[in-house]
Amino acid sequence: MTRVSPSASPARAWIGSIVFLFVAPGIVAGLVPWLITGWHPHDWAAAAWVVVPIAWLVIAAGVGFLLYAFGLFALQRGTPAPIAPTEALVVTGVYRYVRNPMYLAVLAIILGQALLFGSWWLLLYAGVVTGAFVPFVKGYEEPTLTRTYGEEYREYRRHVPGWWPRATPWRG
């Protein structure tokens, strides 16, 4: 696993994070849902005044948390991309509540679009994406982080859940 040196430039970390944002979540939560739905809103008729704002709220929350989590990586002079990780384990911000906020944010974006566009196909796609995320986290990310950060990651993992956020921030 390539590690970003402590002297890596902040600009390089931000550029790398932005590029990875467009390549990975941009395709999974943007391009593919567009290909599935054409981003044509569903006619919710009388229910639109409730459904549409909820859908947009879920999408906006997902985008906000995703951007925030990406920013935390750039602040640590690295990226979320496996080829250019941070030098230090990122355990601040949203990572004090849940270990996988980016994956949850991407799922929120997809589910919000499924609601906005009234698409069962996007709901099925969210299930497929979840079915890809979980084995990747279990089979690659967690073993890699354990090898890279050792006891620091094991301690973090003991206290911060992977998929269901804590009610209070971990202060480890």
Side-chain angles (χ1 to χ4, degrees):
M1 178 174 193
T2 305
R3 305 263 317 249
V4 174
S5 76
S7 60
S9 79
R12 186 173 179 199
W14 282 101
I15 291 167
S17 289
I18 291 167
V19 168
F20 187 68
L21 175 70
F22 283 102
V23 170
I27 290 172
V28 174
L31 179 62
V32 173
W34 174 74
L35 290 171
I36 292 171
T37 66
W39 284 345
H40 297 293
H42 182 71
D43 181 7
W44 288 104
W49 72 275
V50 173
V51 175
V52 171
I54 290 171
W56 278 113
L57 183 64
V58 171
I59 293 166
V63 169
F65 278 103
L66 185 64
L67 294 175
Y68 178 60
F70 263 78
L72 292 173
F73 272 75
L75 290 171
Q76 291 289 330
R77 294 188 177 194
T79 75
I83 62 167
T86 60
E87 185 71 21
L89 183 63
V90 178
V91 294
T92 60
V94 292
Y95 289 92
R96 296 182 322 153
Y97 294 90
V98 65
R99 291 192 319 264
N100 299 302
M102 288 187 202
Y103 296 117
L104 294 173
V106 166
L107 288 171
I109 295 165
I110 294 168
L111 291 171
Q113 290 177 87
L115 184 60
L116 182 66
F117 305 131
S119 174
W120 288 103
W121 290 110
L122 270 186
L123 203 55
L124 177 63
Y125 173 65
V128 170
V129 168
T130 301
F133 283 169
V134 173
F136 179 75
V137 167
K138 295 291 183 189
Y140 173 76
E141 279 192 358
E142 289 179 353
T144 300
L145 291 168
T146 300
R147 278 192 309 278
T148 304
Y149 298 108
E151 185 54 34
E152 181 185 7
Y153 179 67
R154 284 190 285 278
E155 175 74 7
Y156 172 65
R157 193 168 168 202
R158 278 192 292 273
H159 295 282
V160 179
W163 301 100
W164 193 257
R166 295 168 49 108
T168 59
W170 179 58
R171 302 193 189 283

